[in-house]
Amino acid sequence: MVRRIDVNGSGGVRLAAWEFADPPQKGDSPVAEAGGGGVLLLHGLLGRAAHWAETARWLSPRYRAIALDQRGHGRSEKPVSGPYVLDAYVADAEAVIEQLGLAPVTLIGHAMGALTAWQLAARRPDLVRALVILDMRASALGAATQRQWTEWFRSWPVPFATLADVRRWFAEEDPTLERPAPARGDFYAEVMAERADGWRPLFFRRQMLLAREAYAHDAHWEELALVECPTLVVRGLDGALGRAEAQEMVRVLPRGHYAEIPDAGHLVHYEQPDGWRRVAEPFLEAAVPA
């Protein structure tokens, strides 16, 4: 069962949050019906809440798991004027936690969502009891990568005629690929919607570049060092986060733990759901006991 919950984010932006499990029964506490408390799942840039559906379902017997479509993504509002800055994403997550009564919450974030999560954990330690970071660097990504993303967006053959074309292009034909990646094709198929002329992204690429611009030029080590709660840093062996940097992130974190998943790239939880579960569950059971 899936349930949409509408939430007001920072500046009144309308956000769509999702439960991919049976909702609590009438009279239940919104957190207490799952002994481990609340979990907020934050997707990365270009993602959507639905990418967390499988994770949310295996979490739901122990925790109240909420996946958020972040501003500009999925079914959440995409204001023309934004703002699409890191502070806005952090404030949105804070609003969701407070409005849905999830605190003290476990934050699980992928890529940009992981950065949002550790910024919030650093600023509001009273709200966060544990944190999981999936494949996000603390170092500055740099201006060159921003130019690469701009060129990559221009290479997309939008609109796609069919969903099969979406899957094939992102899994096989994308010039940035080193080898076929079927899970990547499925990932991007989930962020497309059918329009009159074919299949187009649920997001506006210009807004995505603005969001990435807001964090790509800065390093985020200082905020990482302020995270007080138990934190698991997860990387795919072929992901964007290198082993040396991941281990340095664990060293900087006051209560850091490390895990890596073989045969996974940047989309760690989506490409290798079984491997992701094997590393996440023991950490959560130890950090957030029922």
Side-chain angles (χ1 to χ4, degrees):
M1 182 175 181
V2 60
R3 180 170 73 130
R4 173 175 171 165
I5 308 167
D6 291 321
V7 181
N8 292 319
S10 174
V13 172
R14 296 185 299 276
L15 303 173
W18 304 84
E19 283 186 296
F20 296 97
D22 290 336
Q25 299 298 310
K26 185 178 180 180
D28 284 346
S29 162
V31 173
E33 98 284 341
V39 175
L40 182 61
L41 298 148
L42 298 172
H43 62 74
L45 194 69
L46 314 188
R48 66 181 304 185
H51 287 140
W52 290 114
E54 184 171 345
T55 296
R57 290 184 180 120
W58 59 255
L59 286 171
S60 61
R62 284 176 56 92
Y63 314 94
R64 186 186 182 202
I66 300 292
L68 177 66
D69 278 336
Q70 299 192 75
R71 65 172 59 206
H73 297 77
R75 298 301 177 187
S76 287
E77 190 176 1
K78 303 162 180 66
V80 173
S81 59
Y84 295 100
V85 295
L86 187 55
D87 283 349
Y89 286 105
V90 173
D92 287 345
E94 183 178 359
V96 171
I97 293 165
E98 292 182 334
Q99 289 175 45
L100 298 186
L102 299 176
V105 73
T106 298
L107 295 174
I108 300 178
H110 172 243
M112 183 190 78
L115 178 57
T116 299
W118 90 60
Q119 296 279 332
L120 178 55
R123 299 179 194 187
R124 292 293 308 273
D126 56 307
L127 292 182
V128 184
R129 67 189 306 181
L131 170 65
V132 181
I133 296 169
L134 279 80
D135 213 63
M136 181 61 191
R137 299 178 59 191
S139 299
L141 304 178
T145 65
Q146 194 70 1
R147 292 191 295 272
Q148 291 164 5
W149 270 65
T150 301
E151 292 304 313
W152 179 55
F153 276 152
R154 289 174 180 163
S155 74
W156 291 19
V158 175
F160 295 90
T162 70
L163 272 183
D165 291 331
V166 173
R167 289 189 173 93
R168 183 169 54 253
W169 195 84
F170 285 101
E172 302 173 15
E173 299 173 357
D174 183 341
T176 65
L177 280 176
E178 295 181 359
R179 58 182 177 271
R184 188 173 185 265
D186 293 336
F187 181 95
Y188 283 100
E190 288 207 52
V191 298
M192 298 289 165
E194 190 172 19
R195 310 297 186 195
D197 59 350
W199 292 82
R200 293 180 175 273
L202 282 166
F203 48 79
F204 296 105
R205 285 170 285 176
R206 181 185 63 81
Q207 293 178 349
M208 298 299 96
L209 287 172
L210 288 174
R212 194 176 189 277
E213 182 81 24
Y215 64 81
H217 299 290
D218 298 320
H220 306 281
W221 292 98
E222 291 183 6
E223 297 89 344
L224 193 69
L226 296 175
V227 175
E228 300 174 357
C229 62
T231 302
L232 176 65
V233 178
V234 182
R235 64 177 290 267
L237 287 185
D238 296 319
L241 176 60
R243 179 178 289 153
E245 182 169 353
Q247 292 177 342
E248 180 63 12
M249 290 169 66
V250 172
R251 189 194 68 78
V252 166
L253 284 158
R255 301 171 69 184
H257 304 263
Y258 175 75
E260 60 184 30
I261 300 175
D263 301 318
H266 179 57
L267 308 176
V268 186
H269 57 299
Y270 202 82
E271 295 174 348
Q272 294 293 337
D274 293 338
W276 153 236
R277 184 170 182 174
R278 280 195 298 271
V279 302
E281 275 192 325
F283 170 78
L284 295 174
E285 288 172 1
V288 193

